[in-house]
Structures are given as C-alpha cells and as structure tokens.
Amino acid sequence: MIELAHWLIYAYLMIRVALPTTASAIPRSISTSPGETISKNHEEEVKRVWRKADAVCFDVDSTVCQDEGIDELAAYLGVGEAVANVTRTAMNGNARFRDALAARLQVMKPNHEQLEQFVNISKPKLTVGIRELVSRLHARGTHVYLVSGGFRRLILPVAELLGIEKSRIYANEILFDKFGKYHGFDTSELTSDSGSKETGKPAVIALLKKMYNYKTVVMVGDGATDVEASPPADAFIGFGGNVIREGVKARAKWYVTDFDVLRKDLDHDESDIDDE
C-alpha cells in the first residue's frame, strides 16, 4: 500500500508538470519580452524619422569612409601608433575631444606640403553602399552633410566623390604659419570640441536647423560624438559597418552595419506610398 501511495503521488506530480492549469503557464510559440518590444518600438520610431528627413548628417571616419583619416595621415607621417592610441580614447568617450585633437596634432605636426602630398597620393576608401545611399537621398531631395571631427582638407575628396557640395562639409581646419609649418587648428570651428550642446555636432545640427528651417534632421555615425548629436538631431542611427563600438550600439535606437539597410528602407517607404 505504501508503494502504491508513492506511485500515485508521483503520477499526480507528473500530470501537473505535463498539463499546466493556468493560461500563463501554457507555452507560446512566439515569446517577446517587454524589453524586446520596447526596443522594436524605438527602432520603428527612428525609421519613421529617417523616412521623412529633410537633411541627413553623416560622420566621415569609420562611417562614410572605412578608415580614420587622421590615423592614415599619422601613419604617412610615421607616427601612426601613437596617434591611433589617442584616437581610440577619444572615440570611446574617455577624453574631451578638443584635448584629444590637440594631442594628436601635437604628435603629428604636419606641415602644409606634407598634408597636400598625402591628399594627392591617397584615395578615399568609401564604405560599401555609401555612394548608392547618398545618391538615393539626393534623388529624394534630401540634403546631405558631412559632419566630422576630422580635417576638412582630407574630406574634400570624399565630398567630391559623393557629389556633396563643399559648403555642406563641417570639419576642422589645420592652421599653418607663413612658412607652411604647423600652427595649431582653428578652435572657432564648431567641430573642434564636443561634450555639450553648444559645441561639436549638436551645435552644427542646431545651426543647420536655424539657417535652413529643417524640420527633421538625422545623424548617422559610429562614435560617441555622433550619439551626442541627438538632440538636437531628431534621430540618431548608429553605424557599425567598419567598427562596432559597444557603448554606441547600446545607446542607438536603430543600429545598422550595412548602408543598404538604410537605402532599402527608403525604397520600402516609397513603395508603401505608391500602393496608397
């Protein structure tokens, strides 16, 4: 009898496990956690802004281009590793941008002739898909800007390849004395610093909105200085096609690693309009 009782108890427990008696205990074929739902909603929110953008601002280094222009110039000057270390610290948000820029340039000290020689022998390494994306944006009438903490002289060839007007470049200017020797950089440029809404990329976007009355501006980039551009940018899209910065990825509501994703989303939007 004791053995029978034990067997009955065992059978009862097995039935309870196999046949849940509450709706909450019934397994679902598709399970979405609250966090996943919120994340998806945030992504859709950014997509809606992206599709109606009046202007799009792209970071250049490791976004529009595969490499970091400053690091490439440093390598050409023979101080690549030292400058790369400072760049990594700056891009991960561990140092004030202006201080990091000054430190990099102090190591490099390029003269005018060296800078021009580097530009003449170097060809921009455009990220796959950026030509098509910029072309698509232009076709929609969206204004495209290059907003960078890098150097304008290095970005001019990039803008030319992408059909972006020179006036739509916001970047830093290296200064030279009358003999062509390095003489610092222009600290009046908005992109020469970061860390507040009065400087850096936030200030550039605020200026663009004020000058051209843009209703919707989107910032696309890979680094910490790009994240801080929103607001005043109406949305930030993180890009990890060349390098993934975990801190940036964690803060981006929409994060992509391929520019074709952004281009195809625009095409998808227009097909929906046509169907209506």
Side-chain angles (χ1 to χ4, degrees), residues 108-139:
M108 295 161 63
K109 291 185 177 179
N111 60 46
H112 185 265
E113 183 180 358
Q114 289 173 324
L115 180 61
E116 290 302 313
Q117 286 177 345
F118 174 75
V119 171
N120 290 334
I121 67 172
S122 301
K123 182 179 180 180
K125 300 175 183 176
L126 296 180
T127 300
V128 174
I130 189 60
R131 286 178 184 266
E132 294 80 2
L133 177 56
V134 171
S135 177
R136 193 75 192 85
L137 289 167
H138 282 160

Side-chain angles (χ1 to χ4, degrees), residues 55 66 110 122 162 166 168 183 188 229 233 252:
Q66 298 174 33
S122 301
L162 295 175
K166 295 179 181 179
R168 292 181 179 168
H183 194 62
S188 70

